[in-house]
Amino acid sequence: MTSRADSRAIPGTKYGRWAVVTGASDGIGRAFAGRLAEAGFNLVIAARREKILEHLAEDLASRHHIDVRPVACDLATPEGAALLETSTAELDVGLLVASAGFGTSGPFLAAELRSELEMIDVNCRAVAQLVFTFGNRFVRRGGGGLVLLSSLVAFQGVPRAANYAATKAYVQTFAEGLREELKGQGVEVLAVAPGPVRSGFGERANMRMGRAQTPAQVASGALRALGKRGTVRPGFLAQFLELALKPLPRWGRVRMMGVVMSGMTRHQPHPVSLTRGAP
């Protein structure tokens, strides 16, 4: 359950009556949907898996007495993001949580190119498309919030997750620039950069993690930071890892992350493992 402090951190008048959460069927996206429902927002939840979305919508609506609209869409395609836009056209949406995404592990040159390009579509192109759509709506309504999912891996290259880290570097840089562009227009932009998270992500990407945060910790920490900071590393683990890496030069951080990724992927019987996630 969320705390009262979480709810107070999300004033509904500024962010509208409705929030849109992508990647809501699992992990961090699902945790965001739960926290926002507890805070009293009506929700549009988006993911590919229609049945899971419908069950989640029914559960959130009945427990929190809110309206919840599930939108089954594939954000790997421009049509998926466009469907989310048209499905929310008449709603007073003031908050977008773009948490859909998936990751990879293994050497890039041994990967399946089609899947790697699809990851760029979901993690980068869809984010840009949704931010353009909802960001313009928020400016017109005089306020809103954009929450974009970055990562600890966004701040340096990461061997054995090179393309995934690059997609998160795009999100981090995009959020930082947008925050300055939208300053003074009532639109808050937050980059959320967690460390390892205990969700289905690691299993789907075939990575074995030791210590990890929970999705609830990430969502709660992010919502507390919205409107106060430009980047948040929610939870003790993310902050500890940041402090451990910060003194190193960039090349040193790259090598250190390579050691970390080697540990997470040493169980792999083949040189690459690549699996689509659940946006």
Side-chain angles (χ1 to χ4, degrees), residues 162-262:
N163 194 30
Y164 172 67
T167 67
K168 291 304 179 181
Y170 168 82
V171 173
Q172 179 66 37
T173 304
F174 188 38
E176 290 172 357
L178 282 172
R179 188 167 189 261
E180 288 299 311
E181 289 184 4
L182 297 174
K183 185 181 294 184
Q185 299 187 66
V187 181
E188 301 289 349
V189 183
L190 178 68
V192 184
V197 178
R198 191 178 301 118
S199 67
F201 174 88
E203 181 179 353
R204 287 189 295 267
N206 198 13
M207 294 187 295
R208 291 181 179 171
M209 303 176 183
R211 293 186 177 183
Q213 301 167 259
T214 67
Q217 289 172 327
V218 176
S220 292
L223 293 176
R224 285 194 297 269
L226 182 61
K228 301 173 184 175
R229 302 172 62 182
T231 297
V232 63
R233 295 168 175 84
F236 170 78
L237 180 59
Q239 295 165 22
F240 172 78
L241 292 172
E242 177 198 8
L243 290 174
L245 291 169
K246 191 173 182 179
L248 299 175
R250 190 174 179 92
W251 64 264
R253 297 200 304 270
V254 172
R255 290 188 179 179
M256 181 61 70
M257 291 303 296
V259 171
V260 172
M261 280 301 302
S262 293

Side-chain angles (χ1 to χ4, degrees), residues 56-115:
L56 177 60
E58 291 173 3
D59 177 61
L60 292 174
S62 63
R63 285 197 293 120
H64 301 289
H65 308 290
I66 59 172
D67 292 329
V68 185
R69 296 189 183 184
V71 178
C73 59
D74 187 352
L75 293 179
T77 68
E79 294 77 18
L83 176 60
L84 193 53
E85 176 184 357
T86 58
S87 299
T88 62
E90 83 285 7
L91 303 177
D92 179 27
V93 176
L95 183 62
L96 169 68
V97 179
S99 59
F102 69 98
T104 68
S105 66
F108 177 74
L109 294 184
E112 180 184 309
L113 180 59
R114 178 180 176 182
S115 296

Side-chain angles (χ1 to χ4, degrees), residues 16-71:
R17 297 179 58 238
W18 289 82
V20 173
V21 181
T22 68
S25 63
D26 191 17
I28 295 174
R30 191 181 184 105
F32 267 109
R35 290 295 187 258
L36 291 170
E38 291 166 0
F41 278 87
N42 297 317
L43 295 174
V44 177
I45 53 175
R48 289 178 301 145
R49 298 180 290 180
E50 186 172 11
K51 291 298 183 183
I52 292 177
L53 272 186
E54 290 175 349
H55 292 155
L56 177 60
E58 291 173 3
D59 177 61
L60 292 174
S62 63
R63 285 197 293 120
H64 301 289
H65 308 290
I66 59 172
D67 292 329
V68 185
R69 296 189 183 184
V71 178

